[in-house]
Amino acid sequence: MNEDCTPSKCESCGEECAGRQAPQSFLEELNPKSYVGKVIAVMSGKGGVGKSMVTSLLAVSAAKAGRKAAVLDADITGPSIPMAFGMHERPMGDEFGIIAPQTPGGVKVMSINLLLENETDPVVWRGPILAGTVKQFWTDVVWGDVDYMFVDMPPGTGDVPLTVFQSLPVDGIVVVTTPQDLVSMIVEKAVNMAKMLNIPIVGMVENMSWYECPCCGQKLPIFGDSHIEEIAARFGVENTVKLPINPTLAAACDRGMVEEADVSALWDFSQKL
């Protein structure tokens, strides 16, 4: 060990000495009464692209395939997962923590909207509190046995997404985008964030890719031509899917009936995660 060596210099030092400190892990311990097989984060570079809807559909697809699925709603200031599943009752708890409520289709869900006194109350919290809440959803919630946990991320690449990627053992990321040039540029920021944190992109979903005319059946690219193949090829992502504008699906989410929606468009995509 060099006489000038100090612990604060270990990260930038090239010496392999006995006193070298191992890189610090920020991973939080999962609730002891829980088991989670795989964690998939669903993120987007901006809001309004249908990220929460895709998260819900992926969880429904997993459940219909016979897997034990769960959704951790990390979008603390814009929680919409309970609405999609029609969940309104507050969860119960025991000495081990908050028990994750379950939908009729078997999907376990935890969201800040299930804990608020009124569902329409705004969450006016600063970043550290938001990040701490996400951690508590992992450490203090009794999830039971889960094969696939889908994390509905807040949009962008800020504090909470960073907390999720550093605190939870994320196995892969699904990036949701739409066809516009601007969104395609923004989604690259999300992809680059994943690369910086060494988390693989396991799939890309292009939502609102087209609208099928009910009269003639023609597929109309209302938001512009698709760019998903180009972006996916650039970053080596093989698992991609395009979803059309589907008013029926949107209405099902608004009514809290996402589990009754047709998930066939996402079926093959979800089975490769």
Side-chain angles (χ1 to χ4, degrees):
M1 179 185 297
N2 190 304
E3 61 181 7
D4 296 327
C5 183
T6 60
S8 63
K9 296 181 180 179
C10 280
E11 187 174 338
S12 59
C13 178
E15 297 292 333
E16 292 296 335
C17 62
R20 186 176 180 85
Q21 294 183 343
Q24 182 181 2
S25 173
F26 295 99
L27 289 178
E28 296 287 337
E29 291 290 335
L30 179 64
N31 182 279
K33 290 295 181 179
S34 305
Y35 165 81
V36 177
K38 183 173 284 191
V39 179
I40 303 294
V42 184
M43 72 178 302
S44 62
K46 64 180 290 294
V49 299
K51 169 185 51 61
S52 296
M53 183 192 73
V54 170
T55 303
S56 302
L57 291 174
L58 288 175
V60 171
S61 297
K64 289 187 176 181
R67 300 183 176 97
K68 298 174 182 177
V71 177
L72 188 159
D73 190 355
D75 194 354
I76 305 299
T77 59
S80 54
I81 294 297
M83 180 178 180
F85 284 96
M87 305 177 73
H88 303 285
E89 295 184 5
R90 288 191 178 186
M92 304 295 290
D94 59 19
E95 67 269 27
F96 298 107
I98 301 173
I99 301 173
Q102 189 166 290
T103 69
V107 178
K108 295 180 179 179
V109 174
M110 179 49 60
S111 171
I112 193 65
N113 242 31
L114 297 175
L115 303 175
L116 298 176
E117 184 174 351
N118 300 300
E119 294 180 350
T120 56
D121 287 345
V123 178
V124 188
W125 296 343
R126 295 189 184 275
I129 301 178
L130 298 175
T133 302
V134 172
K135 292 180 184 180
Q136 286 186 287
F137 283 173
W138 179 255
T139 60
D140 296 354
V141 172
V142 179
W143 292 98
D145 290 335
V146 173
D147 296 320
Y148 279 80
M149 175 178 285
F150 297 93
V151 182
D152 186 29
M153 304 282 284
T157 56
D159 188 47
V160 175
L162 181 61
T163 296
V164 171
F165 294 145
Q166 291 184 330
S167 303
L168 276 60
V170 179
D171 295 282
I173 296 172
V174 171
V175 178
V176 182
T177 183
T178 55
Q180 299 104 307
D181 286 334
L182 176 62
V183 174
S184 297
M185 179 274 292
I186 291 175
V187 78
E188 291 190 42
K189 294 181 181 291
V191 173
N192 285 327
M193 180 182 186
K195 291 179 63 178
M196 290 172 60
L197 297 171
N198 295 316
I199 302 176
I201 303 294
V202 295
M204 294 185 68
V205 178
E206 185 178 78
N207 193 28
M208 297 180 274
S209 188
W210 76 86
Y211 175 71
E212 184 173 336
C213 176
C215 298
C216 65
Q218 182 180 359
K219 294 181 178 180
L220 306 172
I222 293 177
F223 293 111
D225 295 331
S226 172
H227 297 279
I228 191 171
E229 289 91 354
E230 172 190 343
I231 298 174
R234 188 183 309 163
F235 293 100
V237 180
E238 297 182 359
N239 191 20
T240 64
V241 66
K242 299 178 185 179
L243 298 181
I245 298 173
N246 189 336
T248 302
L249 177 57
C253 291
D254 289 342
R255 296 196 307 270
M257 302 173 66
V258 69
E259 290 184 294
E260 298 183 15
D262 181 6
V263 297
S264 59
L266 268 175
W267 185 261
D268 291 340
F269 175 88
S270 65
Q271 303 311 301
K272 297 176 184 178
L273 298 179

